[in-house]
Amino acid sequence: MSPDDKVTPLRPKRPCPECGKPSARETYPFCSARCKDIDLNRWLKGAYVIPARDDEEETDGDPPK
């Protein structure tokens, strides 16, 4: 294998979800530790929420009869 051969990266390059700069390998998918910490802070504050419908009943995991 020569050094001129192209190596396929394991992950595709994507922009940072916080600022749009190219992502870095050490902090993937973010570009820096700062953007990674911003995202973590949003999760911890509850800014990211998965909406639930009010008409869903609580179940104990059993399928409906």
Side-chain angles (χ1 to χ4, degrees):
M1 184 173 202
S2 72
D4 296 332
D5 290 342
K6 292 272 186 180
V7 176
T8 305
L10 295 177
R11 297 183 207 147
K13 289 201 175 218
R14 293 190 176 155
C16 174
E18 289 299 319
C19 67
K21 293 180 183 175
S23 59
R25 173 176 256 180
E26 302 81 31
T27 55
Y28 188 84
F30 304 98
C31 68
S32 66
R34 179 182 178 274
C35 284
K36 191 174 185 175
D37 290 343
I38 290 170
D39 184 72
L40 176 60
N41 187 40
R42 287 184 180 153
W43 278 105
L44 295 175
K45 286 190 328 186
Y48 298 136
V49 178
I50 299 172
R53 295 190 321 223
D54 290 337
D55 62 341
E56 292 179 353
E57 293 183 20
E58 296 275 332
T59 63
D60 58 357
D62 294 334
K65 294 178 183 179

